Amino acid sequence: MNLENDNMSKKFVLVLNCGSSSIKFSILNVEDGIKYLYGSSYMLYTNNFKIKWNICGTQYTKQFNKEMSYSDMIDYILKDILLKVSSTILRKIIGIGHRVVHGGDELKNSVIVDQYVINCIKKLSYLAPLHNYNSYLGIKHSIRLLSDISSKNIAVFDTAFHQTIPEEAYLYAIPYEFYTKHKIRRYGAHGISHNYITYETSKILNKSINSLNIISCHLGNGSSIAAIKNGKCIDTSMGFTPLEGLVMGTRSGDLDPSIIFFMNRQLQFGMDKISNILNKKSGLLGLNEKSSDCRYAVNNYSTDNASKRSIDVFCYKLSKYIGSYATLMDNRLDALIFTGGIGENSYFVRQLTVKNLSCIGLYLDERLNSLKSITSNFYYINQVNTIPIIVIQANEDLAIAKEVVTLINKI
């Protein structure tokens, strides 16, 4: 497949998605969504670190037998992969889109990166400790290493989609001055994905976004759920930081705040240690004490009580959120959506989650749910004549790239 020749007249966007434990990257054409290059890193902070990427259908893998820092990983991707692709393609890159988890109260929409934006993203790392600083590094390295590419760096924020959440949903029941003076409120995350899912579901159901009521479940190492009414987000599970909400790979999700006091006062744990436990040692990993990978827990569900425990808690909390968000839809839920690595690939998680939701009209077709040879970017898994339950392939890269083009066209 010779995408280079096919796309000589087209313009491209480079997308850099610096996550908590990986980097995803791609060069794609926004008009048709075709990716000239895409790849991802795996097993960061281990001696088995590797990067896999694909250029025009040809797969490459680089294995590192040493532990790599996040900066080292970014440098390798930018210098040894991206800068060695076709110079013709590089000249056609019109912008670089950076996924940033938290924009706080300062950065509410996608923006062209300048020094103020860079400083804000770094400053807001305390709100997304596993993500924002990595995005800051990605932007800084891009500016340094990709200066020859005549393009704009655009920051696209996960918190932007959740700006429509009403006051009763985003406020915490603590003294109001903590909001007015310190901007402590629910901000949410995964907004790029939830926004993309909203538009895709509108097309799939052939229904206007302005009248679309869905519940969107983005499930992966980080997981969140969003209630979307008339096309606008009205509630979401992640809060002031991405720590709140669902059980995740290493994050605890919802927690009684008094547990933190107990850890500090009775167990004599410092705040840094507590933060590390809740962000990096909890979730699926904390419950099964072996792995943060959902696939491990699912594969060992029937033979290992710890794995069963972690998956049962994960699915229980997810079911509870779906049930509560269904009450916000004015008696009309148009669809339940699963996306993200777990949402798309774990039929078992979907099965355990939906089995308790018949009371709100959700019924899973077990045969459709268990199909593994899916070629479409979406498929239905509900029983006939019941509320649609749809698995939609996540495509944050395309959503970010579209934001880049929109901003550049406004310049």
mmCIF file of all heavy atoms in Angstrom, residues 3-13 28-34 88-94:
data_model
loop_
_atom_site.group_PDB
_atom_site.id
_atom_site.type_symbol
_atom_site.label_atom_id
_atom_site.label_comp_id
_atom_site.label_asym_id
_atom_site.label_seq_id
_atom_site.Cartn_x
_atom_site.Cartn_y
_atom_site.Cartn_z
ATOM 1 N N LEU A 3 0.590 4.744 0.488
ATOM 2 C CA LEU A 3 -0.185 5.902 0.911
ATOM 3 C C LEU A 3 0.521 7.198 0.578
ATOM 4 O O LEU A 3 -0.107 8.230 0.372
ATOM 5 C CB LEU A 3 -0.451 5.837 2.425
ATOM 6 C CG LEU A 3 -1.431 4.778 2.892
ATOM 7 C CD1 LEU A 3 -1.604 4.888 4.389
ATOM 8 C CD2 LEU A 3 -2.764 4.910 2.202
ATOM 9 N N GLU A 4 1.853 7.141 0.507
ATOM 10 C CA GLU A 4 2.592 8.369 0.233
ATOM 11 C C GLU A 4 2.207 8.929 -1.127
ATOM 12 O O GLU A 4 1.903 10.107 -1.288
ATOM 13 C CB GLU A 4 4.094 8.086 0.298
ATOM 14 C CG GLU A 4 4.935 9.335 0.095
ATOM 15 C CD GLU A 4 6.421 9.052 0.258
ATOM 16 O OE1 GLU A 4 6.761 8.103 0.971
ATOM 17 O OE2 GLU A 4 7.201 9.797 -0.354
ATOM 18 N N ASN A 5 2.197 8.086 -2.163
ATOM 19 C CA ASN A 5 1.818 8.548 -3.496
ATOM 20 C C ASN A 5 0.352 8.950 -3.556
ATOM 21 O O ASN A 5 -0.028 9.887 -4.234
ATOM 22 C CB ASN A 5 2.106 7.459 -4.536
ATOM 23 C CG ASN A 5 3.594 7.259 -4.737
ATOM 24 O OD1 ASN A 5 4.383 8.158 -4.460
ATOM 25 N ND2 ASN A 5 3.985 6.074 -5.202
ATOM 26 N N ASP A 6 -0.491 8.204 -2.832
ATOM 27 C CA ASP A 6 -1.922 8.482 -2.849
ATOM 28 C C ASP A 6 -2.258 9.820 -2.199
ATOM 29 O O ASP A 6 -3.288 10.411 -2.485
ATOM 30 C CB ASP A 6 -2.691 7.379 -2.105
ATOM 31 C CG ASP A 6 -2.652 6.062 -2.857
ATOM 32 O OD1 ASP A 6 -2.343 6.087 -4.060
ATOM 33 O OD2 ASP A 6 -2.916 5.025 -2.223
ATOM 34 N N ASN A 7 -1.385 10.300 -1.291
ATOM 35 C CA ASN A 7 -1.731 11.465 -0.485
ATOM 36 C C ASN A 7 -0.862 12.687 -0.757
ATOM 37 O O ASN A 7 -0.757 13.575 0.083
ATOM 38 C CB ASN A 7 -1.633 11.114 1.016
ATOM 39 C CG ASN A 7 -2.746 10.184 1.462
ATOM 40 O OD1 ASN A 7 -3.899 10.556 1.464
ATOM 41 N ND2 ASN A 7 -2.382 8.972 1.818
ATOM 42 N N MET A 8 -0.257 12.755 -1.932
ATOM 43 C CA MET A 8 0.636 13.854 -2.217
ATOM 44 C C MET A 8 -0.061 15.211 -2.161
ATOM 45 O O MET A 8 0.536 16.214 -1.819
ATOM 46 C CB MET A 8 1.281 13.674 -3.594
ATOM 47 C CG MET A 8 2.364 12.600 -3.618
ATOM 48 S SD MET A 8 3.717 12.917 -2.443
ATOM 49 C CE MET A 8 3.199 11.994 -1.021
ATOM 50 N N SER A 9 -1.346 15.247 -2.507
ATOM 51 C CA SER A 9 -2.064 16.518 -2.520
ATOM 52 C C SER A 9 -2.750 16.810 -1.188
ATOM 53 O O SER A 9 -3.393 17.842 -1.045
ATOM 54 C CB SER A 9 -3.108 16.512 -3.647
ATOM 55 O OG SER A 9 -4.068 15.493 -3.410
ATOM 56 N N LYS A 10 -2.621 15.918 -0.237
ATOM 57 C CA LYS A 10 -3.334 16.059 1.020
ATOM 58 C C LYS A 10 -2.422 16.605 2.120
ATOM 59 O O LYS A 10 -1.208 16.515 2.031
ATOM 60 C CB LYS A 10 -3.923 14.709 1.443
ATOM 61 C CG LYS A 10 -4.970 14.198 0.457
ATOM 62 C CD LYS A 10 -5.517 12.850 0.879
ATOM 63 C CE LYS A 10 -6.569 12.358 -0.117
ATOM 64 N NZ LYS A 10 -7.100 11.039 0.248
ATOM 65 N N LYS A 11 -3.048 17.142 3.164
ATOM 66 C CA LYS A 11 -2.299 17.669 4.293
ATOM 67 C C LYS A 11 -2.506 16.767 5.497
ATOM 68 O O LYS A 11 -3.553 16.166 5.669
ATOM 69 C CB LYS A 11 -2.761 19.098 4.593
ATOM 70 C CG LYS A 11 -2.433 20.070 3.469
ATOM 71 C CD LYS A 11 -2.907 21.469 3.803
ATOM 72 C CE LYS A 11 -2.557 22.435 2.670
ATOM 73 N NZ LYS A 11 -3.010 23.814 2.966
ATOM 74 N N PHE A 12 -1.484 16.728 6.351
ATOM 75 C CA PHE A 12 -1.474 15.797 7.469
ATOM 76 C C PHE A 12 -1.369 16.520 8.804
ATOM 77 O O PHE A 12 -0.919 17.668 8.874
ATOM 78 C CB PHE A 12 -0.303 14.823 7.330
ATOM 79 C CG PHE A 12 -0.408 13.906 6.154
ATOM 80 C CD1 PHE A 12 0.074 14.284 4.913
ATOM 81 C CD2 PHE A 12 -0.985 12.650 6.284
ATOM 82 C CE1 PHE A 12 -0.020 13.440 3.822
ATOM 83 C CE2 PHE A 12 -1.092 11.806 5.209
ATOM 84 C CZ PHE A 12 -0.608 12.193 3.971
ATOM 85 N N VAL A 13 -1.773 15.808 9.852
ATOM 86 C CA VAL A 13 -1.614 16.275 11.223
ATOM 87 C C VAL A 13 -0.844 15.210 11.996
ATOM 88 O O VAL A 13 -1.116 14.012 11.859
ATOM 89 C CB VAL A 13 -2.979 16.524 11.901
ATOM 90 C CG1 VAL A 13 -2.809 16.813 13.395
ATOM 91 C CG2 VAL A 13 -3.703 17.678 11.223
ATOM 92 N N LEU A 28 -1.817 11.502 10.298
ATOM 93 C CA LEU A 28 -3.032 11.112 9.599
ATOM 94 C C LEU A 28 -3.601 12.260 8.790
ATOM 95 O O LEU A 28 -3.304 13.438 9.036
ATOM 96 C CB LEU A 28 -4.084 10.584 10.559
ATOM 97 C CG LEU A 28 -4.766 11.571 11.515
ATOM 98 C CD1 LEU A 28 -6.107 11.015 11.965
ATOM 99 C CD2 LEU A 28 -3.899 11.860 12.734
ATOM 100 N N ASN A 29 -4.402 11.879 7.812
ATOM 101 C CA ASN A 29 -5.133 12.826 6.994
ATOM 102 C C ASN A 29 -6.533 12.972 7.561
ATOM 103 O O ASN A 29 -7.234 11.976 7.734
ATOM 104 C CB ASN A 29 -5.195 12.340 5.544
ATOM 105 C CG ASN A 29 -6.033 13.254 4.677
ATOM 106 O OD1 ASN A 29 -7.217 13.004 4.481
ATOM 107 N ND2 ASN A 29 -5.434 14.304 4.172
ATOM 108 N N VAL A 30 -6.934 14.192 7.872
ATOM 109 C CA VAL A 30 -8.214 14.418 8.539
ATOM 110 C C VAL A 30 -9.389 14.143 7.608
ATOM 111 O O VAL A 30 -10.448 13.692 8.045
ATOM 112 C CB VAL A 30 -8.279 15.853 9.087
ATOM 113 C CG1 VAL A 30 -9.618 16.110 9.750
ATOM 114 C CG2 VAL A 30 -7.161 16.084 10.086
ATOM 115 N N GLU A 31 -9.218 14.387 6.317
ATOM 116 C CA GLU A 31 -10.332 14.250 5.381
ATOM 117 C C GLU A 31 -10.858 12.824 5.321
ATOM 118 O O GLU A 31 -12.063 12.597 5.321
ATOM 119 C CB GLU A 31 -9.888 14.700 3.989
ATOM 120 C CG GLU A 31 -9.578 16.186 3.899
ATOM 121 C CD GLU A 31 -9.051 16.563 2.532
ATOM 122 O OE1 GLU A 31 -9.056 15.692 1.626
ATOM 123 O OE2 GLU A 31 -8.635 17.712 2.348
ATOM 124 N N ASP A 32 -9.953 11.849 5.275
ATOM 125 C CA ASP A 32 -10.395 10.464 5.153
ATOM 126 C C ASP A 32 -10.043 9.609 6.368
ATOM 127 O O ASP A 32 -10.428 8.443 6.445
ATOM 128 C CB ASP A 32 -9.822 9.813 3.887
ATOM 129 C CG ASP A 32 -8.305 9.944 3.787
ATOM 130 O OD1 ASP A 32 -7.642 10.082 4.835
ATOM 131 O OD2 ASP A 32 -7.780 9.902 2.651
ATOM 132 N N GLY A 33 -9.318 10.190 7.342
ATOM 133 C CA GLY A 33 -8.954 9.467 8.553
ATOM 134 C C GLY A 33 -7.865 8.440 8.372
ATOM 135 O O GLY A 33 -7.489 7.736 9.316
ATOM 136 N N ILE A 34 -7.305 8.327 7.168
ATOM 137 C CA ILE A 34 -6.267 7.330 6.900
ATOM 138 C C ILE A 34 -4.951 7.751 7.567
ATOM 139 O O ILE A 34 -4.539 8.907 7.465
ATOM 140 C CB ILE A 34 -6.072 7.125 5.386
ATOM 141 C CG1 ILE A 34 -7.318 6.480 4.786
ATOM 142 C CG2 ILE A 34 -4.849 6.251 5.102
ATOM 143 C CD1 ILE A 34 -7.263 6.304 3.281
ATOM 144 N N THR A 88 8.668 14.229 2.192
ATOM 145 C CA THR A 88 7.497 14.765 1.492
ATOM 146 C C THR A 88 6.301 14.821 2.437
ATOM 147 O O THR A 88 5.549 15.805 2.462
ATOM 148 C CB THR A 88 7.146 13.897 0.275
ATOM 149 O OG1 THR A 88 8.301 13.769 -0.549
ATOM 150 C CG2 THR A 88 6.001 14.506 -0.518
ATOM 151 N N ILE A 89 6.118 13.771 3.224
ATOM 152 C CA ILE A 89 5.029 13.736 4.193
ATOM 153 C C ILE A 89 5.258 14.773 5.289
ATOM 154 O O ILE A 89 4.343 15.504 5.677
ATOM 155 C CB ILE A 89 4.872 12.331 4.796
ATOM 156 C CG1 ILE A 89 4.457 11.328 3.728
ATOM 157 C CG2 ILE A 89 3.864 12.342 5.946
ATOM 158 C CD1 ILE A 89 3.082 11.554 3.147
ATOM 159 N N LEU A 90 6.488 14.846 5.794
ATOM 160 C CA LEU A 90 6.780 15.792 6.870
ATOM 161 C C LEU A 90 6.470 17.225 6.451
ATOM 162 O O LEU A 90 5.982 18.023 7.249
ATOM 163 C CB LEU A 90 8.252 15.673 7.295
ATOM 164 C CG LEU A 90 8.648 14.383 8.013
ATOM 165 C CD1 LEU A 90 10.135 14.398 8.349
ATOM 166 C CD2 LEU A 90 7.833 14.193 9.293
ATOM 167 N N ARG A 91 6.759 17.563 5.205
ATOM 168 C CA ARG A 91 6.504 18.926 4.729
ATOM 169 C C ARG A 91 5.008 19.233 4.666
ATOM 170 O O ARG A 91 4.612 20.403 4.629
ATOM 171 C CB ARG A 91 7.120 19.124 3.346
ATOM 172 C CG ARG A 91 8.639 19.273 3.363
ATOM 173 C CD ARG A 91 9.142 19.842 2.048
ATOM 174 N NE ARG A 91 8.790 18.994 0.910
ATOM 175 C CZ ARG A 91 9.567 18.012 0.441
ATOM 176 N NH1 ARG A 91 10.734 17.754 1.036
ATOM 177 N NH2 ARG A 91 9.191 17.294 -0.600
ATOM 178 N N LYS A 92 4.191 18.197 4.631
ATOM 179 C CA LYS A 92 2.748 18.389 4.527
ATOM 180 C C LYS A 92 2.040 18.381 5.888
ATOM 181 O O LYS A 92 0.825 18.481 5.959
ATOM 182 C CB LYS A 92 2.156 17.312 3.608
ATOM 183 C CG LYS A 92 2.563 17.501 2.143
ATOM 184 C CD LYS A 92 1.876 16.496 1.249
ATOM 185 C CE LYS A 92 2.195 16.802 -0.205
ATOM 186 N NZ LYS A 92 1.619 18.095 -0.639
ATOM 187 N N ILE A 93 2.811 18.255 6.978
ATOM 188 C CA ILE A 93 2.215 18.318 8.307
ATOM 189 C C ILE A 93 1.884 19.776 8.618
ATOM 190 O O ILE A 93 2.771 20.631 8.666
ATOM 191 C CB ILE A 93 3.163 17.740 9.374
ATOM 192 C CG1 ILE A 93 3.343 16.231 9.161
ATOM 193 C CG2 ILE A 93 2.607 18.006 10.777
ATOM 194 C CD1 ILE A 93 4.337 15.594 10.102
ATOM 195 N N ILE A 94 0.601 20.061 8.824
ATOM 196 C CA ILE A 94 0.175 21.436 9.050
ATOM 197 C C ILE A 94 0.048 21.775 10.533
ATOM 198 O O ILE A 94 -0.081 22.946 10.898
ATOM 199 C CB ILE A 94 -1.166 21.723 8.356
ATOM 200 C CG1 ILE A 94 -2.285 20.839 8.932
ATOM 201 C CG2 ILE A 94 -1.042 21.522 6.856
ATOM 202 C CD1 ILE A 94 -3.662 21.237 8.464
#
